[in-house]
């Protein structure tokens, strides 16, 4: 296993400690619950926005805690839902008089942990609502999912809801906005390589030297099919066709286009993909008004990418442009 | 070769096209010279700051063009210096009455291209000075270098010089600042894996499943030695010891600490490294006042990292905190 790791059992807490040490003025780390939260949360004038999921998808979600994004994230171990009591304790620590919003990617384990955590928190008098993200068009049901999976498109949901929460929107309004963004967001991904969870120490699945997995999930779940390795442009063509025809996105639509890396793909390749995807959307008459190129929702060290489209209207455009300050900042 | 690529010969121009399409309001792409420049450059009230190098180190340098950073970057092909005429034409297009500053990492090929480009541009009446970056403590001379190599520490030089150039500093002042930052900046890197240049189609060098290369260069040049794979903490210990003792950095020094990924390492692992490095510096009495964790200067898809320290004084601290807007932005 070629990774920076000490004890695989400490992989997540050692990462979280690093995030906290790098952001002492803005973030608080609560080791008992794998919790990364804003030091100024809960804010009584603002709904607290929380996401939990398995680890291994960084920067999602522990590295996108900050003003205009998440108030807290409580991850589980690598590719494992957070335990129910992490959800409960996080909700209690983040309880605001305006309420708490859980954003949950649609996986059975995550939904179960958040539903039970929500019930227990409600029994303690906390007002909680839950928003489900399911943007992945690749497959209807999957290894860990009934219905579609939630993948990189959840960035647009978080950014929109986070922005609106800073402006004072109440729980109902945040649910409306989040559901609306989710309803106009579609993603499909593909893998060039497998990925290696630290505790396993070997690749999660096997992929031949001349193969790729189209429609792969962010935990290495099978996609639509395994194919012979193709050119960058052919890969973009297949992903875009699946995404565009699903909603469908139509000529004269304005969209945000995300080229998301899965962790092991250099940013140079992502920009190469972006150029062709932008051109192909233009050929369909679809206008790319905002773009996002980089690692947003990853699968450890997997080489691969996903393409996400969000259809823009004035409301979503303004929320995506609202200020955000995240834990990881580079310049 | 598991990469997103069409024709390997078009790898760099297709990436540059993507950068330009993603930044139509701020960047201009001049395909004849692989040139990415600010649309508002040259600015007659500002020295134009330019860096060129081989490609394959993204985001360095084509993706850090923008206000407070570079005015332009003219890369060569993957791991190849830009041709002399790219340097010349870039200098001509960026010529400002206040002059042009070339920032060059210390590699023989890059120095030759920039020296000749400078001479030819000076013959056309352009006022140019050159700043050499050589922050890598790993080896004295290397495959492509007389003297130390320039690696990820050049980010701190670019950020400081770019910031000062926005404030109106003249060429002499920028040289003073750049040389000062370079003189207090030290880096060492290491590789867990090799990398695959698109045109070669296979790994640049071989590294056993249980081996790592300590002190590797950003073009896969040999480092100090090949060792058995070690724990994350042991790797940080060895890199920090080499970096700290070189300047040396001393107790009560304030520093900026960069954990740089080499392209194929997920950000989760970089934050794991950060946490331990921060603690070990604290044990030495060295205060980490600013931190930088992510991919700054990469080697294509190489898994690995480098650690950079810059000793801070008030001037450098203020310049590193000055506003910057780069081509790649994610939120």
């Amino acid at each position: 296993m070629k990774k920076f790791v000490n004890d695989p059992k400490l992989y997540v807490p050692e990462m979280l400690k690093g995030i906290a040490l790098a952001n002492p003025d803005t973030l608080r780390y609560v080791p008992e619950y794998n919790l990364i939260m804003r030091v100024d949360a809960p804010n009584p004038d603002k709904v607290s926005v929380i996401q939990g999921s398995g680890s291994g998808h960084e920067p999602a979600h522990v590295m996108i805690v900050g003003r205009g994004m998440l108030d807290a994230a409580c991850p589980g171990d690598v590719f494992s839902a957070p335990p129910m009591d992490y959800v409960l304790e996080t909700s209690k620590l983040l309880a605001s008089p305006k309420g708490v919003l859980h954003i949950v990617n649609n996986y059975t384990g995550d939904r179960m942990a958040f539903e039970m955590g929500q019930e227990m928190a409600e029994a303690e008098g906390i007002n909680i609502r839950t928003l489900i993200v399911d943007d992945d068009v690749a497959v209807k049901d999957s290894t860990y999912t009934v219905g579609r999976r939630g993948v990189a498109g959840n960035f647009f949901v978080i950014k929109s809801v986070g922005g609106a929460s800073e402006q004072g929107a109440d729980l109902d309004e945040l649910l409306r906005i989040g559901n609306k963004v989710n309803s106009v967001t579609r993603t499909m991904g593909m893998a060039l390589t497998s990925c290696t969870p630290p505790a396993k120490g070997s690749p999660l699945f096997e992929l031949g030297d001349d193969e790729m997995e189209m429609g792969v999930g962010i935990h290495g779940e099978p996609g639509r099919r395994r194919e012979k390795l193709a050119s960058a442009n052919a890969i973009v063509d297949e992903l875009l066709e699946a995404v565009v025809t699903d909603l469908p996105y139509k000529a004269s639509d304005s969209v945000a286009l995300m080229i998301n890396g899965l962790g092991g793909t250099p940013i140079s390749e992502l920009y190469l993909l972006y150029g062709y995807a932008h051109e192909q959307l233009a050929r369909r008459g679809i206008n790319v008004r905002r773009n996002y190129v980089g690692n947003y929702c990853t699968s450890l060290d997997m080489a691969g990418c996903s393409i996400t489209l969000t259809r823009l209207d004035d409301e979503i455009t303004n929320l995506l442009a609202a200020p955000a300050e995240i834990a990881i900042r580079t310049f």
Side-chain angles (χ1 to χ4, degrees), chain A:
Chain A
M1 170 170 53
K2 290 251 170 154
K3 300 183 95 64
F4 294 112
V5 61
N6 296 300
D7 177 349
K9 285 193 291 294
L10 299 178
Y11 184 77
V12 172
E14 288 183 345
M15 165 186 71
L16 297 176
K17 183 184 72 178
I19 296 171
L21 284 170
N23 297 277
D25 299 333
T26 52
L27 297 182
R28 177 180 162 209
Y29 170 38
V30 185
E32 301 89 306
Y33 314 120
N34 274 5
L35 172 60
I36 296 284
M37 60 185 285
R38 291 171 61 174
V39 292
D40 56 357
N43 175 345
D45 298 324
K46 177 186 177 306
V47 173
S48 289
V49 181
I50 297 172
Q51 172 119 27
S53 75
S55 291
H57 307 302
E58 292 74 23
H61 301 93
V62 288
M63 297 177 190
I64 57 169
V65 176
R67 190 170 68 93
M69 296 291 291
L70 296 174
D71 292 284
C74 60
D77 209 337
V78 170
F79 295 172
S80 300
M84 175 188 67
D85 55 315
Y86 290 16
V87 176
L88 170 63
E89 297 300 335
T90 296
S91 303
K92 286 163 67 176
L93 278 167
L94 274 290
S96 157
K98 290 203 71 170
V100 172
L101 182 68
H102 288 166
I103 302 180
V104 182
N105 288 343
N106 188 39
Y107 297 97
T108 306
D110 292 285
R111 291 191 67 155
M112 196 177 303
F114 273 85
E115 275 167 27
M116 293 174 72
Q118 174 174 350
E119 277 178 29
M120 294 167 72
E122 283 172 339
E124 301 197 25
I126 302 171
N127 183 20
I128 301 188
R129 305 286 290 276
T130 297
L131 182 61
I132 303 293
V133 179
D134 60 350
D135 55 311
D136 188 347
V137 307
V139 290
K140 174 78 184 76
D141 299 317
S142 178
T143 318
Y144 311 112
T145 317
V146 176
R148 289 183 163 184
R149 304 176 295 214
V151 289
N154 85 336
F155 169 83
F156 293 111
V157 174
I158 294 169
K159 180 76 180 68
S160 301
V161 166
S165 75
E166 298 290 344
Q167 296 163 14
D170 64 18
L171 260 178
D172 285 339
E173 176 72 351
L174 294 184
L175 269 173
R176 179 191 68 75
I177 290 168
N179 283 320
K180 172 177 151 180
V181 173
N182 184 58
S183 75
V184 295
T185 299
R186 296 290 188 274
T187 300
M188 192 159 102
M190 57 78 61
L192 295 174
T193 71
S194 185
C195 61
T196 298
K200 184 168 190 291
S202 60
L204 197 57
F205 60 96
E206 294 298 325
L207 202 52
D209 282 348
D210 59 346
E211 287 181 322
M212 59 183 187
E213 177 83 23
M214 294 302 293
V216 73
I218 58 174
H219 314 91
E221 307 97 304
R224 292 186 172 183
R225 58 183 167 277
R226 200 158 283 196
E227 296 180 16
K228 286 285 173 200
L229 200 57
S231 71
N233 289 357
I235 291 168
V236 169
D237 282 334
E238 184 167 345
L239 292 178
L240 269 189
E241 177 67 16
V243 168
V244 168
T245 58
D246 190 87
L247 188 63
Y249 301 88
K250 295 177 184 157
S252 86
D253 277 354
S254 289
V255 298
L257 166 60
M258 171 186 282
I259 306 291
N260 172 57
L262 294 183
T265 288
I267 195 169
S268 49
E269 297 180 38
L270 300 180
Y271 271 97
L272 183 152
L273 298 174
Y274 179 82
Y276 183 73
H278 181 115
E279 286 179 338
Q280 291 307 304
L281 288 168
R283 284 189 53 185
R284 292 172 185 256
I286 298 171
N287 305 304
V288 179
R289 298 288 187 205
R290 296 185 68 86
N291 63 79
Y292 298 81
V293 186
N295 292 329
Y296 291 86
C297 186
T298 62
S299 302
L300 296 167
D301 54 348
M302 185 181 285
C305 73
S306 64
I307 295 184
T308 300
L309 291 179
T310 295
R311 189 169 62 205
L312 298 172
D313 60 13
D314 288 347
E315 181 181 44
I316 298 176
T317 301
N318 289 337
L319 289 170
L320 293 183
E325 287 170 9
I326 56 163
I328 55 163
R329 60 197 182 294
T330 45
F331 283 80

